[in-house]
Amino acid sequence: MTERLVVVGGDAAGMSAASQAKRLRGDGLEVLALERGRHASYSACGIPYWVGGVVDDEAALVARTPEEHRANGIDLRLRHEATGLDLDRRELEVRDHGTSTTYRMGFDEVVIATGARPRRPEIPGVTAPGVHGVQTLDDGEALLDTLEHSPRRAVVVGGGYIGIEMAEAMVNRGLEVTVVTRSREPMATLDPDMGAQVHQAMEDMGIDVRTSVQLREVATGQDGRATGVVTDQGELPADVVVLGTGVEPETTLAAAAGLPLGRWGGLVTDLQMRVFDADGVWAAGDCVESIDLVSGNRVHVALGTHANKQGRVAGTNLGGGYATFPGVVGTAVSKVCDLEIARTGLRERDCDAVGFRYLTVQVGSRTRAGYYPGADQVTVKLVVEQRSGRLLGGQIVGGAASAKRIDVIAVALWNRMTVEEVVSLDLGYAPPFSPTWDPVLIAARKAADLVRAG
Amino acid sequence: MTERLVVVGGDAAGMSAASQAKRLRGDGLEVLALERGRHASYSACGIPYWVGGVVDDEAALVARTPEEHRANGIDLRLRHEATGLDLDRRELEVRDHGTSTTYRMGFDEVVIATGARPRRPEIPGVTAPGVHGVQTLDDGEALLDTLEHSPRRAVVVGGGYIGIEMAEAMVNRGLEVTVVTRSREPMATLDPDMGAQVHQAMEDMGIDVRTSVQLREVATGQDGRATGVVTDQGELPADVVVLGTGVEPETTLAAAAGLPLGRWGGLVTDLQMRVFDADGVWAAGDCVESIDLVSGNRVHVALGTHANKQGRVAGTNLGGGYATFPGVVGTAVSKVCDLEIARTGLRERDCDAVGFRYLTVQVGSRTRAGYYPGADQVTVKLVVEQRSGRLLGGQIVGGAASAKRIDVIAVALWNRMTVEEVVSLDLGYAPPFSPTWDPVLIAARKAADLVRAG
């Protein structure tokens, strides 16, 4: 008998799993995919660039159209939402938002790829017109509609990746932009000393950055539209308010089905992306927790690149192959206008939390030979275990060609290298690409000296 | 009694060693440095960009002036050439080209940092006016003098790094450029399939590339100046001929002193940069051979970044500290106009030579998310051991932000990773920096599939 796989969630993780399983099993596996929204397989990471006008066309963000998925033999159902999961009966309850009907669907295997949901601040006015999240293509469309009315001032709530990317988008649209964050510095995924550099650069770009601010409410006008935000440090007027306050795993369905969740509210899987203690249940993408290979702890990292890999791993194993997702080291890159930002591994506070005793170095260098035109400034920070000299984390802030240098640190972390070992790495050198000593190596050299000095 | 260290050769390796030793030992160590040329501590790698007008000022290429070295307590003697090395007497014979006198100088420790010399083709006319090497600042000055006379056509001999960088320099100066190489494709440090992409891109830039060509002689006019080159495939007219035909270790002094040389004519040292079987003799830079950590063999790689590191390692050990130079994996990056080129590890022919049985993959991808503006094409080739799946080498050709991606492969090689492991690496992803699957990971994934298929 043909087995049936149902994938819940039709974005990166879900459709990667569906595609890979179908490719490997063909007619031997019936594959259905349920997506509650109107779009599947799109790049949520691209939304800030679409809203900012850098990417013209919404369609460009769609990696694979529903028609393409269907041509590949996947029964993709848009606006169909899984509202219940019965693990004993092996059935899903599905709401068809198109016809407003509900039906039940049996499965042999199920992949939970329900993604993440924005953490909306629970304050008065947060649902007012003129307040926009940027999680889905529909969110992006709504925000673009608001931008049609030529707003003058934008307040972006949140100083993380989405916050700074949306700040750039609003700058690109010609708005006056204020970023409000409750953190000490923007980009709290970096240590505050590196975040301060991002802060300064954003101010230099004309972006007003307010840190350590508590949001009280969204102020609204007589028409009910947002007119600004009220904070513990006064009111900030705004014609549009953008929420970039991070996400958390969307595991409502899984929790209701009795599946155990991890510390961060995400599903916990084995290396093959099978949910622990739940036969025939798989999970992938923003709704799962991953092993942090530096600390050994589970973490929640919502990133399209992990979602794609995890989905493919689940699909490969569902398809009779073998693949694993060993974990992450916490690499992320971003930019705000011309400033590139990157991080990987543990921050100082992460080290404190897990018990690593560490030292840090921070070095300023250049992205190219000093004499080569366009040599931009770049700052590299390393976090290193005392005594052992083991690399624990790295952060980079700088001009063009800074961010992807983090990959060297990420691969070093993956391989548990010490800074003493990193110093000797054979990295690409030529004047248009690097100083003779690569900035990452200069930082490692300085860190190795400190480790030796004890 | 104060010990005396004499460093022979005042460029990257020699002056790094001198500076580091002096810094650590201070007045306890007398440090002399002999440099036969008129300049010390300059970036030879920068010469093509100076000649091409990208870097305005010769002085910009000098990392540290003679005055700065002297202020640091180093007795740097320019135009003083070590012409003899007597290991029994612990003496150097030194020729002072300024006064045309010769003297002898004792030493306790000596660092040989005599660099590399260009491999000039031994053909008639190769020393004619209008034929230029680009090894030293003096070479660069001479070439710039020739360019003052508004030549129209340049022939660049050699299709390696120096050749393509000089081709770019001549293009920047507005000349018609022909590159002549005896290899099947330019950039023979890549496999021919990747070299072919460089070839095509250079032709698209308007550079005439002639491959598999044997040079017979340099043609000269009545005034004795070069007028072109004669090859086995006919004559190519030229107003200026640039030699970019590679280098070999400059070990004349060392060989005459009876020091044993390696297979490639370079000095062979231990991990601390001590010459084997020669007490108190150290070596660093382009005159030494290094361990290739992939094959285990000694190789000769003339690169400023290695010279700097090796010099610093020698200086640290001379200064009473401890440092090692474990070896190289063969990483190099370059560009010709807008095309970036990178390589690391073993090529197919290297695998054949050392006995690795391998498979290869080549994938085309993009440097950014496909929808993000400026997403350039990039091709990644991987060379992978059969069965084990161990990564053996990688090559990259592409647009902006392609070349430094080689560092990921370099660090993976350093850690002897398999492609199966590489697939899972946590590399930086965001639309302006990478597709969801980084091009290196796509290549690794394809290679892992091939390894599994046997």
Side-chain angles (χ1 to χ4, degrees):
Chain A
M1 207 184 82
T2 309
E3 274 200 314
R4 177 188 281 174
L5 165 66
V6 180
V7 172
V8 181
D11 210 342
M15 296 318 291
S16 288
S19 301
Q20 181 71 351
K22 188 68 190 174
R23 195 175 69 78
L24 293 174
R25 295 271 296 273
D27 291 341
L29 186 71
E30 183 188 2
V31 180
L32 290 100
L34 307 171
E35 165 55 45
R36 68 180 176 183
R38 297 185 297 120
H39 305 276
S41 287
Y42 63 88
S43 170
C45 341
I47 292 173
Y49 305 101
W50 169 43
V51 170
V54 174
V55 176
D56 291 335
D57 186 7
E58 178 181 358
L61 300 186
V62 176
R64 202 173 284 181
T65 63
E67 293 68 34
E68 288 172 303
H69 283 303
R70 287 170 192 143
N72 289 335
I74 297 167
D75 182 356
L76 169 59
R77 303 183 182 185
L78 297 178
R79 304 200 64 208
H80 284 237
E81 180 173 4
T83 49
L85 169 60
D86 188 329
L87 291 173
D88 295 328
R89 294 194 183 182
R90 316 298 287 169
E91 273 185 0
L92 283 154
E93 180 187 86
V94 184
R95 178 72 177 171
D96 177 351
H97 293 293
T99 60
S100 297
T101 54
T102 298
Y103 62 98
R104 298 181 77 83
M105 173 191 286
F107 62 83
D108 298 292
E109 310 266 352
V110 64
V111 175
I112 302 175
T114 42
R117 59 174 174 246
R119 265 198 301 260
R120 287 210 166 204
E122 291 183 7
I123 52 169
V126 76
T127 58
V131 182
H132 295 275
V134 284
Q135 177 76 357
T136 64
L137 286 186
D138 291 346
D139 291 340
E141 270 168 22
L143 176 49
L144 281 169
D145 280 348
T146 294
L147 293 177
E148 289 284 301
H149 299 92
S150 306
R152 202 163 61 79
R153 291 170 301 200
V155 165
V156 176
V157 179
Y161 292 108
I162 302 173
I164 65 159
E165 288 168 3
M166 288 313 300
E168 174 181 326
M170 296 297 105
V171 166
N172 285 348
R173 289 291 182 183
L175 279 74
E176 286 173 33
V177 180
T178 302
V179 172
V180 175
T181 174
R182 60 184 181 183
S183 306
R184 206 172 113 197
E185 294 292 354
M187 290 306 292
T189 52
L190 309 182
D191 285 317
D193 55 347
M194 296 294 281
Q197 297 200 12
V198 176
H199 189 160
Q200 185 58 53
M202 290 174 75
E203 294 279 357
D204 292 345
M205 291 166 197
I207 299 170
D208 181 12
V209 182
R210 308 290 182 96
T211 55
S212 305
V213 168
Q214 293 295 330
L215 211 59
R216 293 267 163 80
E217 62 180 287
V218 174
T220 50
Q222 288 195 327
D223 58 357
R225 288 191 69 84
T227 58
V229 297
V230 181
T231 77
D232 62 344
Q233 292 170 38
E235 186 164 344
L236 298 164
D239 307 308
V240 54
V241 177
V242 179
L243 301 176
T245 36
V247 298
E248 57 197 8
E250 172 53 273
T251 43
T252 313
L253 181 77
L259 293 171
L261 303 182
R263 185 174 172 197
W264 309 105
L267 285 156
V268 182
T269 73
D270 71 5
L271 294 169
Q272 295 187 35
M273 306 311 295
R274 273 189 195 89
V275 175
F276 277 122
D277 306 321
D279 196 40
V281 181
W282 307 69
D286 291 358
C287 63
V288 308
E289 297 184 6
S290 300
I291 297 170
D292 170 26
L293 295 169
V294 183
S295 71
N297 293 316
R298 294 269 168 178
V299 290
H300 179 241
V301 182
L303 263 184
T305 186
H306 300 326
N308 269 281
K309 283 184 196 154
Q310 291 168 345
R312 194 170 197 276
V313 166
T316 299
N317 294 313
L318 276 161
Y322 169 64
T324 65
F325 184 83
V328 302
V329 293
T331 312
V333 293
S334 189
K335 77 184 192 70
V336 52
C337 301
D338 290 333
L339 187 78
E340 298 190 3
I341 304 161
R343 56 96 64 223
T344 190
L346 307 185
R347 296 163 297 185
E348 295 189 31
R349 82 192 79 159
D350 302 319
C351 291
D352 291 332
V354 303
F356 277 118
R357 194 174 288 182
Y358 59 89
L359 53 87
T360 70
V361 292
Q362 199 189 98
V363 304
S365 181
R366 296 285 185 146
T367 54
R368 301 174 165 186
Y371 56 80
Y372 197 92
D376 263 322
Q377 292 206 306
V378 57
T379 304
V380 178
K381 174 174 180 167
L382 296 180
V383 182
V384 178
E385 190 182 18
Q386 284 187 14
R387 297 201 188 174
S388 77
R390 180 184 165 197
L391 193 60
L392 297 175
Q395 297 161 37
I396 298 176
V397 174
S402 291
K404 277 291 265 179
R405 289 171 190 267
I406 202 74
D407 286 348
V408 165
I409 304 175
V411 184
L413 284 176
W414 194 277
N415 290 285
R416 301 175 74 97
M417 293 179 82
T418 65
V419 281
E420 189 80 36
E421 292 166 333
V422 170
V423 175
S424 301
L425 282 175
D426 184 1
L427 304 183
Y429 161 66
F433 301 106
S434 175
T436 336
W437 280 89
D438 190 280
V440 172
L441 302 190
I442 298 173
R445 204 175 74 188
K446 194 172 163 187
D449 286 346
L450 281 183
V451 171
R452 252 180 266 125
Chain B
M1 206 184 81
T2 308
E3 273 200 315
R4 177 188 281 174
L5 166 65
V6 180
V7 172
V8 181
D11 209 343
M15 296 319 291
S16 288
S19 301
Q20 181 71 352
K22 188 69 189 172
R23 195 175 70 78
L24 294 174
R25 294 270 298 273
D27 290 342
L29 186 72
E30 183 188 1
V31 180
L32 290 99
L34 308 171
E35 166 54 44
R36 67 178 176 183
R38 296 185 298 121
H39 306 276
S41 286
Y42 63 88
S43 170
C45 341
I47 293 173
Y49 306 101
W50 170 44
V51 170
V54 174
V55 176
D56 290 336
D57 187 6
E58 179 181 359
L61 300 186
V62 177
R64 202 171 284 180
T65 64
E67 292 69 34
E68 288 172 303
H69 283 302
R70 287 170 193 144
N72 289 335
I74 297 167
D75 182 357
L76 169 59
R77 304 184 182 184
L78 296 177
R79 304 201 64 210
H80 284 236
E81 181 173 5
T83 49
L85 169 59
D86 187 329
L87 291 173
D88 294 327
R89 295 194 182 181
R90 315 300 285 172
E91 274 185 359
L92 283 154
E93 179 188 88
V94 183
R95 178 74 177 169
D96 176 350
H97 292 295
T99 59
S100 296
T101 53
T102 298
Y103 62 98
R104 298 179 78 85
M105 172 190 287
F107 62 82
D108 298 293
E109 309 266 351
V110 65
V111 175
I112 302 175
T114 41
R117 60 174 172 247
R119 265 199 300 263
R120 287 211 165 201
E122 291 182 9
I123 52 169
V126 76
T127 58
V131 181
H132 295 275
V134 284
Q135 177 77 356
T136 64
L137 287 186
D138 291 346
D139 291 341
E141 270 168 21
L143 176 50
L144 281 169
D145 280 347
T146 293
L147 293 177
E148 290 283 302
H149 298 94
S150 305
R152 201 164 61 78
R153 290 169 302 197
V155 165
V156 176
V157 179
Y161 292 109
I162 301 173
I164 66 159
E165 288 168 5
M166 288 312 300
E168 174 181 326
M170 295 298 105
V171 166
N172 286 347
R173 289 291 182 183
L175 279 74
E176 287 174 31
V177 181
T178 302
V179 172
V180 175
T181 174
R182 60 184 180 184
S183 307
R184 205 171 112 195
E185 295 291 355
M187 290 308 289
T189 52
L190 309 181
D191 286 317
D193 55 346
M194 296 293 282
Q197 297 199 13
V198 177
H199 189 159
Q200 184 60 52
M202 290 174 76
E203 294 280 357
D204 292 346
M205 293 166 196
I207 298 170
D208 182 11
V209 181
R210 308 290 182 96
T211 55
S212 305
V213 167
Q214 294 296 330
L215 210 58
R216 293 267 163 79
E217 62 180 288
V218 175
T220 50
Q222 287 193 327
D223 59 356
R225 287 190 70 83
T227 58
V229 296
V230 181
T231 77
D232 61 344
Q233 292 169 40
E235 187 165 342
L236 298 164
D239 306 308
V240 55
V241 176
V242 179
L243 301 176
T245 35
V247 298
E248 57 196 8
E250 173 52 272
T251 44
T252 313
L253 181 76
L259 291 170
L261 302 182
R263 184 173 171 197
W264 309 105
L267 285 157
V268 182
T269 73
D270 71 6
L271 294 169
Q272 295 187 34
M273 305 313 294
R274 272 188 196 92
V275 175
F276 278 122
D277 305 320
D279 196 40
V281 181
W282 307 69
D286 292 357
C287 63
V288 307
E289 297 184 6
S290 299
I291 296 171
D292 170 26
L293 294 169
V294 183
S295 72
N297 293 315
R298 295 269 168 176
V299 290
H300 179 242
V301 182
L303 264 183
T305 186
H306 300 326
N308 269 281
K309 284 184 196 154
Q310 292 169 345
R312 194 170 198 277
V313 166
T316 299
N317 295 312
L318 276 161
Y322 169 64
T324 65
F325 184 83
V328 302
V329 293
T331 313
V333 294
S334 189
K335 76 182 193 70
V336 52
C337 302
D338 290 334
L339 187 78
E340 298 190 2
I341 305 161
R343 57 97 63 223
T344 190
L346 307 186
R347 295 163 298 185
E348 295 190 32
R349 83 193 79 160
D350 301 320
C351 291
D352 291 333
V354 302
F356 277 120
R357 194 175 288 183
Y358 60 89
L359 52 86
T360 70
V361 292
Q362 198 188 100
V363 304
S365 180
R366 295 286 184 147
T367 54
R368 301 173 164 186
Y371 55 80
Y372 197 91
D376 264 322
Q377 293 205 307
V378 56
T379 304
V380 178
K381 174 174 180 168
L382 296 180
V383 180
V384 178
E385 190 183 19
Q386 284 188 16
R387 297 200 189 171
S388 77
R390 180 184 165 199
L391 192 60
L392 297 175
Q395 297 160 38
I396 298 177
V397 174
S402 291
K404 277 291 266 179
R405 290 172 190 267
I406 202 74
D407 286 349
V408 165
I409 305 175
V411 184
L413 284 177
W414 194 276
N415 290 285
R416 299 176 75 98
M417 294 180 81
T418 65
V419 282
E420 190 80 37
E421 291 166 333
V422 170
V423 174
S424 301
L425 283 175
D426 185 1
L427 304 184
Y429 161 66
F433 301 105
S434 175
T436 336
W437 280 88
D438 190 279
V440 172
L441 301 190
I442 299 173
R445 204 174 75 190
K446 195 171 162 189
D449 286 346
L450 280 183
V451 171
R452 251 180 266 124

